[in-house]
Amino acid sequence: AVMNLPVVGARAPRSKEQMFKASHSCATSIRKPKLPREPMQKGADACRPKSVAHVATAKGMQESTKGHGEVRQMSWNPVKPAEFTAVGWDAEVHELTGKIVPSARSDEIVQQLAKHVKLEVSKVFADVEVMAFAFSDLMRQTAFGVAVPEVDIVVCLKPHCMQDFMDCRFRQRSSIPKEEYKLKKIAIRTCTEHLVHKGGLKFRRSAFRGQEPKVTLLAPAALGIHSDSIPIDLSVNSLTPIHHAALLTECGHMDPRAEA
């Protein structure tokens, strides 16, 4: 008797025709949003497709002007192919090595950079020595100078100087790291902070995952050392630049072209 009672509020089953009309009316009610159209181009420009570089450049220019209200252009220095006046393989090699070998002017600039770094770092570390090495001619102004600096500056800290600094930095001796790798990282951060905030240098990037941690700095022309900015690699108690310079010096005694 209960099964035969009608359910209160239940709808009668629909026919196939009614179900088709209901689904069609729901589909037509959903409309796609209208997208903004680009202005029409007239003439020959209408047939030209826009390149990916053009679209990316326009997008980057729009993003740069949103927050700051100024237009920024991408700075780039093209890599020019080497041009030789000499003829022949041996003559071209001799000409190329003559351009790559650091000149006397480059050595002078590097020594001035070393004096500037030592003057600033000595305000943090009492007993410090600074060594600088140039592995190419700074007058060439290569395109990848910032990516691969051609000047290495090594800050040489003695163990007692490092220990005194750690004692002043950490109040509890138990918190002082014992690994030499971590001590170098702390010393590099300290030197970098002082050189950037008070020494006039600019920070570019850090590389702390290698065996010898280092940072890349930029010595601007405002320092008065050189007319152009000079990228440098700064490290503490690093042996690789010293071994590299010693190897090139010994090879140069056999053949001067090896120093390139």
Side-chain angles (χ1 to χ4, degrees), residues 109-121 130 132:
I109 293 173
V110 169
Q111 296 306 319
Q112 291 180 4
L113 276 173
K115 291 181 180 179
H116 178 74
V117 172
K118 182 178 180 180
L119 179 63
E120 297 297 333
V121 175
V130 177

Side-chain angles (χ1 to χ4, degrees), residues 9-255:
R11 296 181 179 180
R14 298 182 179 182
S15 62
K16 292 184 179 181
E17 184 178 359
Q18 292 177 350
M19 295 177 64
F20 176 77
K21 290 181 179 180
S23 62
H24 182 69
S25 61
C26 294
T28 54
S29 61
I30 302 175
R31 297 181 179 179
K32 296 182 179 180
K34 294 183 179 181
L35 300 177
R37 297 181 179 180
E38 297 183 356
M40 299 296 293
Q41 297 181 357
K42 298 181 180 181
D45 295 336
C47 301
R48 296 179 182 177
K50 293 185 178 180
S51 62
V52 178
H54 177 75
V55 175
T57 304
K59 184 178 180 181
M61 295 292 289
Q62 292 177 359
E63 291 178 354
S64 62
T65 55
K66 283 182 180 179
H68 305 283
E70 59 181 1
V71 178
R72 297 183 179 181
Q73 296 181 355
M74 297 178 60
S75 62
W76 57 284
N77 189 5
V79 181
K80 299 180 181 179
E83 297 180 357
F84 301 99
T85 58
V87 180
W89 174 259
D90 294 337
E92 290 180 355
V93 170
H94 182 72
E95 182 181 353
L96 179 62
T97 54
K99 295 179 180 179
I100 297 177
V101 173
S103 60
R105 175 57 181 163
S106 298
D107 295 337
E108 182 181 355
I109 293 173
V110 169
Q111 296 306 319
Q112 291 180 4
L113 276 173
K115 291 181 180 179
H116 178 74
V117 172
K118 182 178 180 180
L119 179 63
E120 297 297 333
V121 175
S122 60
K123 298 177 182 178
V124 182
F125 299 98
D127 191 4
V128 62
E129 294 292 335
V130 177
M131 305 176 66
F133 307 94
F135 300 106
S136 183
D137 190 8
L138 301 180
M139 304 293 108
R140 295 190 305 124
Q141 301 178 2
T142 56
F144 296 102
V146 179
V148 185
E150 298 170 345
V151 177
D152 280 342
I153 295 182
V154 181
V155 178
C156 302
L157 296 178
K158 296 181 180 180
H160 69 86
C161 182
M162 182 81 73
Q163 188 65 34
D164 294 341
F165 174 77
M166 293 301 168
D167 293 340
C168 297
R169 184 182 180 91
F170 297 94
R171 296 180 180 180
Q172 299 180 358
R173 295 185 61 87
S174 58
S175 60
I176 299 177
K178 298 181 180 180
E179 296 83 355
E180 183 181 2
Y181 177 79
K182 294 183 179 180
L183 294 176
K184 287 183 178 180
K185 289 171 60 176
I186 296 174
I188 291 176
R189 288 193 182 101
T190 305
C191 295
T192 303
E193 182 178 358
H194 186 80
L195 290 172
V196 171
H197 291 169
K198 299 182 180 181
L201 275 70
K202 297 181 180 180
F203 177 80
R204 282 297 172 263
R205 64 181 179 274
S206 61
F208 286 165
R209 295 186 179 181
Q211 296 180 356
E212 294 182 342
K214 62 182 179 179
V215 295
T216 301
L217 304 177
L218 191 68
L223 293 178
I225 298 176
H226 187 42
S227 58
D228 297 323
S229 300
I230 305 173
I232 62 175
D233 276 343
L234 179 71
S235 58
V236 174
N237 294 345
S238 180
L239 297 178
T240 301
I242 300 175
H243 292 168
H244 188 192
L247 178 62
L248 292 181
T249 302
E250 293 297 328
C251 294
H253 295 329
M254 304 177 186
D255 190 345

